[in-house]
Amino acid sequence: MTNSLKLVSAQPKATPGVVASAAYTGGRRVAEIPIEAAGEWSRKPGHVVWIGLHEPGLDLLRQVQKEFGLHDLAIEDALKAHQRPKLEQYGEALFIVARTAQMLNGRIAFGETHLFVGHGYVVSVRHGASTTYTPVRERCEAAPKALSEGEDFILYAVLDFIVDNYMPVIETIQAEVEDIEDSVLSANPTRDQMNRIYQLRRDLLRLRNAAVPLVEVCRRLEQPGLPGVDASMYPHFRDVSDHIRRVQEEIESLREVLAFAFETSLMTGQAQQTEITRKLAAWAAILAVPTAVAGIYGMNFDILPELHWKYGYPFVLLMIAIVCGWLYWRFRQKQWL
């Protein structure tokens, strides 16, 4: 009893890589705990330990592994980013990888969140571009009845937060795509616009590859038999799956619009080249008349019908002007000029 009181009253020292570390019972926070005491708290009946880490080093992960008995392979994956979204079961513990996304400097920046879930504990490990999960913790603490569900509710809350953060990214891209579509239809596309269309399509493909595998993760979380996941939470994970499918539909829609804009820009460019070719051909035809006449006069003939005629030179110039004017008028009628 004395040891417990000491743990509750003592504030853990700040540890690099540790964002938050707390113990909960009945949906309410009862203590800020150090990592070295997390295992003991998680084994207390009715208690859940929730630890948040940000880009931890190997020593910190080994300490967490010691407290909860985590698998070596899961620790190895959590140390290195660039994992595909997945769910792995190691004995009575789950290891989940999810990809996060946010807009930075006009591009989608991706990060990762690794989740260790077992009886009495949840450990989240963030890598790369990712917003803090402090709002998730605050929201859960504001609803103690829901938080009292335990580690599976915390898992749901984190996954739901990750998926919900995809939508601001999509909305930002959607606004830009609408501007690009309007500019492509109203004016000739520039090289920068073409490059931007390509970048957005590539980023959306990466976002789809990050989001869609979470459908399979949630589907597995809905299956009976997974440790720490109660049947009452199945509808919540199904709701997350629905959100992911909506994200997927939005991504596919935006990619189609960008593909249309890209094709339109190509067709516009081709039409512009055709228009230029027509104009050049028309002017070449017009200039061919004085060129031909001048070529005839340049031949070395002593006797030409109009050579010694007083009005021969003005007459030829007049005929050139009449023929060129008539060609110009015809080309304007055919909209070549």
Side-chain angles (χ1 to χ4, degrees):
M1 182 67 178
T2 304
N3 293 335
S4 299
L5 290 175
K6 288 181 179 179
L7 287 172
V8 173
S9 60
Q11 293 294 327
K13 296 180 179 179
T15 304
V18 179
V19 178
S21 178
Y24 299 84
T25 182
R28 301 186 182 279
R29 184 191 299 223
V30 294
E32 297 285 343
I33 61 175
I35 298 297
E36 55 269 18
E40 181 180 350
W41 276 94
S42 68
R43 288 186 287 272
K44 292 182 178 182
H47 286 70
V48 176
V49 173
W50 186 357
I51 297 175
L53 307 179
H54 181 245
E55 298 184 351
L58 179 59
D59 292 340
L60 179 57
L61 284 176
R62 290 297 183 193
Q63 190 175 7
V64 173
Q65 179 185 24
K66 180 181 178 182
E67 291 297 317
F68 301 116
L70 304 178
H71 198 278
D72 287 336
L73 292 177
I75 293 296
E76 182 181 348
D77 286 346
L79 182 63
K80 302 175 183 178
H82 309 295
Q83 300 290 326
R84 190 176 185 276
K86 62 180 181 179
L87 184 152
E88 300 286 350
Q89 181 177 354
Y90 297 100
E92 294 299 312
L94 300 178
F95 176 67
I96 298 168
V97 178
R99 299 291 303 278
T100 58
Q102 62 185 76
M103 293 297 296
L104 291 176
N105 300 321
R107 297 294 301 274
I108 303 180
F110 293 90
E112 288 185 23
T113 293
H114 302 162
L115 296 165
F116 297 92
V117 183
H119 182 69
Y121 67 88
V122 175
V123 180
S124 64
V125 182
R126 290 191 294 121
H127 289 278
S130 173
T131 56
T132 178
Y133 294 146
T134 300
V136 183
R137 191 181 293 267
E138 292 174 349
R139 194 179 307 139
C140 291
E141 291 177 353
K145 182 178 180 181
L147 185 55
S148 64
E149 296 289 337
E151 55 272 9
D152 50 359
F153 180 81
I154 298 174
L155 171 61
Y156 154 73
V158 174
L159 290 178
D160 186 59
F161 182 75
I162 292 173
V163 173
D164 285 347
N165 277 341
Y166 292 151
M167 289 309 299
V169 174
I170 292 177
E171 290 170 358
T172 301
I173 294 179
Q174 188 173 22
E176 185 175 359
V177 167
E178 291 177 356
D179 293 338
I180 291 176
E181 187 179 18
D182 292 339
S183 63
V184 166
L185 293 175
S186 62
N188 295 328
T190 64
R191 180 178 294 273
D192 291 339
Q193 287 177 333
M194 299 285 286
N195 292 337
R196 185 56 178 163
I197 290 173
Y198 175 76
Q199 287 180 353
L200 290 175
R201 290 200 70 198
R202 184 175 61 181
D203 285 350
L204 286 171
L205 177 61
R206 295 176 61 196
L207 181 60
R208 185 184 67 180
N209 293 338
V212 173
L214 286 178
V215 174
E216 176 62 20
V217 171
C218 292
R219 188 189 66 81
R220 291 191 59 188
L221 288 171
E222 296 173 30
Q223 295 178 350
L226 284 180
V229 180
D230 190 79
S232 62
M233 292 301 299
Y234 294 167
H236 292 76
F237 293 118
R238 195 174 302 118
D239 180 66
V240 176
S241 297
D242 292 338
H243 290 175
I244 299 171
R245 291 188 180 94
R246 179 189 171 194
V247 169
Q248 182 181 4
E249 291 174 358
E250 293 289 342
I251 292 173
E252 296 297 339
S253 175
L254 287 175
R255 281 178 55 81
E256 288 182 5
V257 172
L258 287 172
F260 169 75
F262 187 78
E263 292 174 0
T264 302
S265 63
L266 290 179
M267 293 170 58
T268 302
Q270 292 174 355
Q272 184 180 10
Q273 290 178 356
T274 302
E275 184 69 18
I276 293 173
T277 303
R278 284 181 177 180
K279 289 182 178 180
L280 291 176
W283 283 113
I286 294 173
L287 293 175
V289 175
T291 301
V293 175
I296 293 174
Y297 270 88
M299 292 186 297
N300 295 320
F301 287 103
D302 289 333
I303 300 176
L304 285 175
E306 75 283 359
L307 186 61
H308 298 289
W309 183 31
K310 179 179 179 180
Y311 300 103
Y313 184 69
F315 175 76
V316 171
L317 292 180
L318 178 62
M319 290 302 297
I320 290 175
I322 291 174
V323 173
C324 290
W326 180 80
L327 288 174
Y328 181 81
W329 172 71
R330 288 293 296 170
F331 289 143
R332 288 283 293 183
Q333 276 192 329
K334 294 180 178 295
Q335 296 183 347
W336 280 33
L337 288 174

